[in-house]
Amino acid sequence: MFNSEGTRNVLLGALVLAVFLLRKMLDFRRAAASVHNLPGFRTLFSDRFIWFPFRVDGVSPGLQSEVNLYRKHMDFEEAGWDIMAGVSGFPSSEVTLYLADPAVIKDVIGARARFPKPMGPYRLLLAFGPNLVASEGEEWKRQRRLVAPSFSERNNKLVWDETVRIVRDLLENVWGARETVVVENATDLTVPITLLVIGVAGFGRRITWNEDAKAPAGHQVTFKDALNDVSRNLFLQIMFPKWMLRWGTPTMRRFHTAYTELGQYMQEMIDARRGAAVKEERHDLFSTLLDANEGLAESGEKLTDTGLMGNIFIFMVAGYETSAHTLAYAFILLALYPDEQEKFFQAVKATLSDGHIPEYSELSSFAYSMAVFNETLRLFPPVITIPKQSAEDTSFTTTNAAGETRTIPVPKGTYVTVHTPGLHNNPKYWDDPDAFKPARFLGDYPREAFLPFSGGPRGCIGRGFSETESIAVLTLLISRYRVEVKDEPQFAGESFAQRRARLLKSKLSVTLYPTHAPLVFRRR
């Protein structure tokens, strides 16, 4: 009797499992059919499944990892079209369309109502509260009204002046008379520079090169370390509850401490600015944000301190991390390509022939600096995917290498992702896309195939800040120093391709960054 009943239970369980798997299979096939079985990925999980961000055939496309960067346009070439489909089956069947077609991308990013942001992927940026980046609809409009006044021409001039001051202080008082400066990792140079810039141009807080070496009274870690630990490990915030972060692994505990400390630093900045005896006119982002918030009091849209902290955090992360990592990649590329570095130096030398200190009014004269910056962003965009979601039934028309066209239905609710590395390395628009050629940005270039700061109404509001800061850093450092790859005995026999891959090996946190690249700066 027991064996008979046990057998029935096993058979019943097997039948239920079979029905479940059959339904999953049918749902999966319907999802693929909804986009006319467009080639691409067919996986168990989508790239939004945060517990498995790795690329494994049949399991996950791994497009939120650095694999997406390394493969560039290859997945589209294998699919045969500049749009490909990712169909996933768990926890529910979903379709994601990945775009490397400039015309389709222009339509998507220009139509905010038809292709809004799905808020799921942006939960990461809500660590300290609502903000401009992680908002949509009416909330985005309100955040935009609050934040937009901060990014002005006056702030850009402040960014330029303070960046020049900070870099000159580095060259004259930190590096001093040294003929050779070894930097064990490119970001060891670029992160401090951009933190000092965001300190004063972002928050009106001038920090010296040595001031942030020790935590101030009332703090366990420095502002720099707190910000760096939080931005590098922000994914922990959405994966684990606070009690686990507080008592978990050493990495979790360090993140929890950094997160708490960063919140304390931000509250102190708000309190100090509000309590200042003299309310002088200032053009840093933080001061302008506070002034704009006070101006919203009558309309009832004024934010609480918690509401302010969300945007302050975004200012911090976007204001230092994007520029720091892009500059690190730029110095690595210039070291790898000495001929390109020499062209850049000659252009800078011609502009600064009399040795004067560059002024903000001369910004447009540094076209080659901008070209180096843009070519670096083309090869290493800060974000490698830009997620959207279709709010209506529509369709896309794309082409393949043979010039044939294909119309793809886009049902309402379909996830639509701009695949930045695929776009930036699309051989239809970029000649020799793997090569580092800054001069391609000196003349006409395919602007529609270049999207490092997103675009349309949701384009990065801090683009001018990042460009101004980065051009000043590149111009001043290359005018004084030649950058080279540090020779290391264990890599003596490597080929150029191996060296390039080693130095440009990357990881993805909030933005993309190089993991380890030792460089040498030699005085010219």
Side-chain angles (χ1 to χ4, degrees), residues 351-402:
T351 307
L352 299 178
S353 58
D354 60 354
H356 70 276
I357 299 170
E359 300 283 342
Y360 178 65
S361 58
E362 298 177 274
L363 183 62
S364 61
S365 301
F366 299 108
Y368 217 109
S369 304
M370 189 68 185
V372 170
F373 181 63
N374 281 339
E375 179 69 340
T376 303
L377 286 170
R378 185 186 69 81
L379 292 168
F380 296 93
V383 292
I384 54 180
T385 57
I386 304 171
K388 303 286 185 178
Q389 192 169 19
S390 181
E392 60 185 36
D393 292 333
T394 186
S395 64
F396 296 148
T397 300
T398 190
T399 59
N400 60 14

Side-chain angles (χ1 to χ4, degrees), residues 444-459:
D444 290 334
Y445 64 91
R447 296 176 185 274
E448 70 280 5
F450 183 58
L451 208 65
F453 293 100
S454 190
R458 296 303 303 253

Side-chain angles (χ1 to χ4, degrees), residues 405-421:
T405 61
R406 177 170 181 166
T407 298
I408 302 150
V410 184
K412 180 180 179 180
T414 300
Y415 290 95
V416 178
T417 297
V418 177
H419 189 294
T420 319

Side-chain angles (χ1 to χ4, degrees), residues 73-392:
H73 191 257
M74 286 189 284
D75 289 325
F76 294 93
E77 291 169 11
E78 292 172 6
W81 301 91
D82 279 342
I83 300 177
M84 59 182 178
V87 183
S88 57
F90 185 83
S92 60
S93 293
E94 295 178 342
V95 176
T96 303
L97 294 177
Y98 300 99
L99 313 180
D101 184 316
V104 175
I105 290 171
K106 183 178 180 180
D107 181 43
V108 168
I109 64 172
R112 188 171 61 86
R114 293 173 54 222
F115 296 99
K117 279 184 174 182
M119 286 296 98
Y122 290 90
R123 284 187 301 152
L124 193 70
L125 299 178
L126 291 170
F128 289 94
N131 56 73
L132 177 68
V133 177
S135 61
E136 192 50 273
E138 291 303 314
E139 175 63 17
W140 174 79
K141 291 179 182 177
R142 183 169 76 109
Q143 294 284 350
R144 180 87 181 187
R145 285 195 297 272
L146 172 69
V147 172
S150 299
F151 294 91
S152 63
E153 190 70 9
R154 290 183 299 183
N155 181 254
N156 286 345
K157 184 179 186 306
L158 177 64
V159 170
W160 179 273
D161 292 344
E162 292 297 334
T163 304
V164 169
R165 180 189 62 80
I166 288 163
V167 175
R168 291 186 69 217
D169 183 38
L170 168 71
L171 298 179
E172 295 168 10
N173 300 318
V174 180
W175 289 4
R178 282 189 283 174
E179 294 295 319
T180 301
V181 178
V182 177
V183 177
E184 291 301 333
N185 192 3
T187 54
D188 291 345
L189 170 65
T190 60
V191 166
I193 290 175
T194 57
L195 275 173
L196 292 175
V197 174
I198 193 63
V200 62
F203 302 100
R205 179 172 178 255
R206 276 193 171 177
I207 312 168
T208 67
W209 277 92
N210 297 317
E211 180 184 338
D212 211 31
K214 184 179 179 181
H219 288 276
Q220 299 178 56
V221 298
T222 65
F223 172 76
K224 177 184 72 176
D225 289 342
L227 181 55
N228 204 43
D229 281 345
V230 169
S231 64
R232 289 284 172 91
N233 297 290
L234 199 54
F235 64 93
L236 295 174
Q237 179 75 9
I238 61 172
M239 294 180 71
F240 303 104
K242 287 185 178 180
W243 65 265
M244 188 176 291
L245 293 174
R246 186 173 183 180
W247 303 108
T249 66
T251 299
M252 289 178 177
R253 295 198 301 271
R254 187 170 63 250
F255 171 79
H256 181 268
T257 299
Y259 176 83
T260 304
E261 288 280 302
L262 189 58
Q264 186 179 336
Y265 275 117
M266 288 192 288
Q267 187 62 57
E268 287 170 358
M269 286 191 288
I270 293 173
D271 294 342
R273 190 57 50 85
R274 283 187 176 146
V278 180
K279 304 291 185 180
E280 58 185 297
E281 184 180 12
R282 308 174 72 121
H283 304 310
D284 59 88
L285 302 180
F286 179 61
S287 296
T288 312
L289 177 68
L290 288 184
D291 290 344
N293 191 47
E294 293 299 325
L296 295 176
E298 290 187 8
S299 65
E301 294 183 301
K302 181 179 176 180
L303 298 181
T304 63
D305 287 358
T306 301
L308 282 171
M309 280 190 188
N311 280 306
I312 295 169
F313 174 66
I314 291 298
F315 284 177
M316 287 180 179
V317 173
Y320 102 91
E321 194 174 276
T322 301
S323 297
H325 296 164
T326 302
L327 284 168
Y329 282 120
F331 287 126
I332 298 167
L333 288 164
L334 290 167
L336 285 167
Y337 294 86
D339 290 347
E340 294 296 337
Q341 183 180 170
E342 182 61 22
K343 293 176 188 175
F344 178 27
F345 170 66
Q346 292 300 329
V348 171
K349 183 179 176 182
T351 307
L352 299 178
S353 58
D354 60 354
H356 70 276
I357 299 170
E359 300 283 342
Y360 178 65
S361 58
E362 298 177 274
L363 183 62
S364 61
S365 301
F366 299 108
Y368 217 109
S369 304
M370 189 68 185
V372 170
F373 181 63
N374 281 339
E375 179 69 340
T376 303
L377 286 170
R378 185 186 69 81
L379 292 168
F380 296 93
V383 292
I384 54 180
T385 57
I386 304 171
K388 303 286 185 178
Q389 192 169 19
S390 181
E392 60 185 36

Side-chain angles (χ1 to χ4, degrees), residues 57-77:
D57 289 347
V59 179
S60 170
L63 291 185
Q64 294 301 329
S65 75
E66 55 275 8
V67 174
N68 186 13
L69 172 75
Y70 301 146
R71 288 193 58 81
K72 301 179 181 179
H73 191 257
M74 286 189 284
D75 289 325
F76 294 93
E77 291 169 11

